[in-house]
Amino acid sequence: MNKQSNSYTILYAVGLVLVVGLALSAVYQTLRPAQQENIDDDTRSQILKAALLTAPEGVPMSDFFAEHVKKSYIVNYNGAIVDKNADAAFDATLHMSQESKKPENERKLPVFECSTEKGLKYILPVYGQGLWGPIWGYVAFDADGETIYGAYFAHQGETPGLGAEIEKPQFSDQFRNKKIFNNNTFEPIMVVKVGKEPTGKEWVHSVSGATITSSGVQTMLDKSLRPYEKFLENLHSSSAAK
């Protein structure tokens, strides 16, 4: 074939594209398990941060997670355990964006039981919308089912120095020891500006200059935790009976 012809040039380009495409596909398939493990470890780390736990240097995250999270499962809207498979609970957590779009009574609601020096904690995932994209996090509750032990929040693209501040302890630490039931009625934590603190309600200060992101956190906590109301009520009843 004439190497100067258009046909040769086209065939050469097609062949090159096929070879490069196959090579990239092979590399992707080879690296995919490691990439997924990194994603899983990042999720494990975030879950544990809600319980104020950080893996010591050199300790594999999967081992540290298994040491503290002995049990995880899925509950339904009525607070009953419907799936005791830990992998199912973890998978539902990875797909909270899809679950959050379902009606409250149809969602898979993951629960992670985490052992800490302060006793057993129940960690629940939350998912919502910030100013520029998704925000999410995890909230750890004491065994009484109403007191927040710790919280961790993350985001996809909030503004550095503004909405992105929800990821820092200065914001999330405010949620510690807050209660989500008021006179036995579910009432999510309010996120308010300085000087706008309500009376008789639980609140934290919003991030200065990030009104939409801060409001997104409050909405996220309301819409994500409300489906767990029966589950948390059951915990509270069990704790009160002891």
Side-chain angles (χ1 to χ4, degrees), residues 13-219:
V14 170
L16 184 61
V17 169
L18 288 174
V19 170
V20 172
L22 289 172
L24 289 175
S25 178
V27 171
Y28 172 76
Q29 293 299 327
T30 300
L31 296 178
R32 186 176 181 181
Q35 292 173 337
Q36 186 60 51
E37 185 62 23
N38 287 336
I39 292 172
D40 292 350
D41 277 350
D42 184 52
T43 301
R44 294 182 183 109
S45 174
Q46 292 181 26
I47 292 171
L48 292 177
K49 284 180 180 178
L52 313 180
L53 294 169
T54 302
E57 186 175 354
V59 175
M61 179 53 65
S62 57
D63 293 346
F64 189 67
F65 186 83
E67 177 185 346
H68 290 278
V69 179
K70 302 294 186 181
K71 186 186 298 184
S72 51
Y73 43 84
I74 293 175
V75 301
N76 62 16
Y77 185 73
N78 294 316
I81 297 177
V82 293
D83 194 335
K84 296 182 179 181
N85 188 311
D87 289 338
F90 194 80
D91 184 67
T93 300
L94 293 176
H95 296 90
M96 282 303 294
S97 59
Q98 291 95 320
E99 291 299 320
S100 66
K101 297 175 184 177
K102 299 178 181 179
E104 290 184 357
N105 60 350
E106 295 180 9
R107 295 182 195 174
K108 295 178 180 178
L109 305 172
V111 178
F112 299 89
E113 293 189 6
C114 182
S115 61
T116 73
E117 292 182 352
K118 301 293 185 179
L120 188 65
K121 309 302 173 186
Y122 295 82
I123 305 174
L124 314 179
V126 294
Y127 185 90
Q129 190 70 25
L131 174 60
W132 301 113
I135 56 176
W136 63 91
Y138 301 89
V139 181
F141 287 89
D142 285 338
D144 65 5
E146 66 171 351
T147 307
I148 295 177
Y149 176 73
Y152 175 82
F153 303 111
H155 64 92
Q156 180 171 295
E158 298 306 289
T159 307
L162 294 173
E165 296 296 298
I166 65 171
E167 197 165 5
K168 294 187 176 180
Q170 290 91 325
F171 178 73
S172 59
D173 283 352
Q174 295 183 88
F175 289 84
R176 296 181 64 181
N177 299 317
K178 301 293 184 181
K179 296 183 182 297
I180 63 163
F181 285 99
N182 187 356
N183 294 322
N184 295 320
T185 300
F186 178 81
E187 196 171 84
I189 312 302
M190 298 183 67
V191 184
V192 301
K193 294 181 179 180
V194 174
K196 299 293 184 179
E197 299 85 357
T199 301
K201 296 181 182 294
E202 293 280 32
W203 54 268
V204 300
H205 282 137
S206 61
V207 176
S208 179
T211 301
I212 295 178
T213 305
S214 298
S215 296
V217 172
Q218 179 175 313
T219 301

